[in-house]
Amino acid sequence: MWQGADSVQVPVTDRFDWFAQTVSSALMPSAFTPQDAAGFQAEGAFLDLGGARMSRFSFSPLLSWRTPALIRRGDPEQYQLGLVTAGTAWYAQGEGEAELHAGDMVLWDTSRPYKSGSGLDGGTVDALVLQIPKARMPLPSRQIDRLLARRMSSGTGVGAILAQFLVSLAGNGPDCRPLDLAVLANTAVELAVSCLDQQLGAEADASADARAQVMRHRIDAFIEQSLGDPGLTPRAIADHHHISLRTLYTLFQSHDDLQGGSEGVAAVIRRRRLERCRADLARPQLRHLAVHVIAARWGFASTATFNRAFRAAYETTPHAYRTEAMESGRKA
C-alpha cells in the first residue's frame, strides 16, 4: 500500500515544508527552494517492496540540493534511479549533469552531494524513484560512478522494459501481497542492473565477479517466479539461463562461500517452497484449502515428500502447524 499524502490536505502555508519533510524522509535529507511557495502543490508517497522501495512524487517547480552536512545527517546508502513520467527536470552530481524530459531516467548516489531542479518548462514534474540498497548492486562502484547524473532513455531495449515495469509496479504493486512484492523487488533490481549494465557496455568490461553476481540475481528472480512449477529443477534453471549445470552449481557455491553457508540449488528451491507453504498454512483466508492443495500450489508433486520436508525443516507436521497458527490467531 502506498504511504503518503497530497498537499491539498495540508494548509497552504505548510505545503512546501510538508513536501520537504516527505522527500527527506522517503529518499534522503535534502534542501529545497520553491519557485512559488504560495502556489506550491505536491504529492509524495512510497511503497515498501521488501528488498527495495519505490517512491512517487508530483510537485511544482523547485530547486533541490544535498550538501556534505545533510549527508552526515542521514544517508540510506542507496543508488536511486529516477524516471520522469511527466514534465522536465535537471540533475547534477559529480562530473555528470543531465537535462530530463518525460521518459528519461537518471541515477544518483545518496552518499554524494547533488543539485537538481524541476519544472524547466514552468510546469509540474511527476517522477518515480526506485531505491536500491548499495548492498544489492552487483556492479562495481567505479563503473556506477560513470553513470551518475547521466541521462538514460527509456525509448528502446532494456531501458524501455524497465520504465514500463516501474510504471506498472507503481500502478499495481499496492494490490500485491508482501511475498509478491519481494519477488517484484528482485525483478525491478534485476532490470535496473541490466539497464545500467547495458549503458556501460559492461558485458565486455565488467569483471567476472560482477557478471556472476548479475547472473545470480537473475537466477534468484527466476526461482522466485517459478516456485509453483513442479518442473523447477537445477537442470531447468541451467537450461533457461543457457549455462551448464556445473556453472550453476559454481555460482551458488561462490555465493554461499561469501555468505558463510553451504546451501545448494535444490536446497534453495526446497527452502523457499516450504517458506511459502508455511505462510499459506497460517493464513486464515486459505483455511478452506487442504494441505496437499497448498503443497501443490508451491511445486510439491508428492504429499508424502512435502510432509517429510516440512517436518524436517520445522519439527512439526503441516496439519499441526496450521492448527497451532489458527488457534494463535483466534486468541490474538
Side-chain angles (χ1 to χ4, degrees), residues 241-284:
H241 292 87
H242 308 292
I243 59 176
S244 68
L245 271 174
R246 180 177 179 179
T247 299
L248 177 67
Y249 292 139
T250 300
L251 280 171
F252 274 71
Q253 183 62 52
S254 299
H255 180 271
D256 291 340
D257 287 345
L258 291 173
Q259 299 298 318
S262 58
E263 195 175 37
V265 187
V268 168
I269 296 171
R270 181 173 60 253
R271 173 178 56 79
R272 294 182 184 178
R273 282 174 168 165
L274 287 170
E275 289 171 350
R276 302 304 183 272
C277 289
R278 183 173 65 165
D280 281 357
L281 288 170
R283 295 175 63 195

Side-chain angles (χ1 to χ4, degrees), residues 207-227:
S207 68
D209 287 344
R211 291 197 300 272
Q213 289 183 58
V214 171
M215 177 60 75
R216 177 60 195 260
H217 280 301
R218 292 175 179 169
I219 290 172
D220 282 341
F222 177 74
I223 290 174
E224 290 291 337
Q225 295 166 358
S226 308
L227 286 174

Side-chain angles (χ1 to χ4, degrees), residues 6-280:
D6 187 329
S7 65
V8 172
Q9 304 168 11
V10 180
V12 174
T13 55
D14 297 333
R15 286 177 182 173
F16 180 71
D17 289 339
W18 166 84
F19 176 76
Q21 292 172 5
T22 298
V23 174
S24 292
S25 175
L27 296 182
M28 55 187 165
S30 301
F32 303 88
T33 297
Q35 186 180 95
D36 177 12
F40 189 80
Q41 300 283 350
E43 295 179 23
F46 67 87
L47 178 65
D48 191 351
L49 304 175
R53 175 186 275 193
M54 171 174 279
S55 299
R56 69 178 187 193
F57 299 99
S58 177
F59 48 91
S60 302
L62 54 73
L63 294 177
S64 167
W65 62 94
R66 181 162 160 85
T67 63
L70 288 168
I71 293 172
R72 289 193 295 271
R73 183 186 301 175
D75 182 10
E77 297 188 359
Q78 297 173 347
Y79 289 114
Q80 298 183 350
L81 180 73
L83 168 65
V84 177
T85 56
T88 58
W90 62 268
Y91 207 97
Q93 187 172 62
E95 298 180 357
E97 184 168 353
E99 183 174 323
L100 309 167
H101 298 266
D104 290 337
M105 296 183 290
V106 66
L107 182 75
W108 60 88
D109 181 343
T110 64
S111 304
R112 297 188 175 202
Y114 80 84
K115 293 181 180 179
S116 73
S118 64
L120 301 177
D121 57 359
T124 297
V125 63
D126 297 347
L128 299 174
V129 180
L130 177 64
Q131 300 168 241
I132 307 171
K134 289 185 176 180
R136 297 200 60 183
M137 176 58 69
L139 298 174
S141 59
R142 65 181 180 277
Q143 292 191 347
I144 295 294
D145 288 349
R146 292 161 46 192
L147 294 178
L148 298 179
R150 305 289 186 184
R151 174 184 170 274
M152 294 182 286
S153 173
S154 65
T156 59
V158 180
I161 296 172
L162 171 60
Q164 292 167 16
F165 182 83
L166 294 180
V167 171
S168 179
L169 180 57
N172 300 291
D175 298 324
C176 295
R177 300 178 304 171
L179 284 175
D180 295 326
L181 287 176
V183 174
L184 293 171
N186 287 336
T187 302
V189 172
E190 178 188 358
L191 286 172
V193 170
S194 296
C195 181
L196 298 175
D197 191 50
Q198 182 184 65
Q199 292 288 322
L200 290 165
E203 284 301 327
D205 301 331
S207 68
D209 287 344
R211 291 197 300 272
Q213 289 183 58
V214 171
M215 177 60 75
R216 177 60 195 260
H217 280 301
R218 292 175 179 169
I219 290 172
D220 282 341
F222 177 74
I223 290 174
E224 290 291 337
Q225 295 166 358
S226 308
L227 286 174
D229 180 3
L232 181 66
T233 63
R235 169 58 69 184
I237 294 170
D239 289 346
H240 181 84
H241 292 87
H242 308 292
I243 59 176
S244 68
L245 271 174
R246 180 177 179 179
T247 299
L248 177 67
Y249 292 139
T250 300
L251 280 171
F252 274 71
Q253 183 62 52
S254 299
H255 180 271
D256 291 340
D257 287 345
L258 291 173
Q259 299 298 318
S262 58
E263 195 175 37
V265 187
V268 168
I269 296 171
R270 181 173 60 253
R271 173 178 56 79
R272 294 182 184 178
R273 282 174 168 165
L274 287 170
E275 289 171 350
R276 302 304 183 272
C277 289
R278 183 173 65 165
D280 281 357

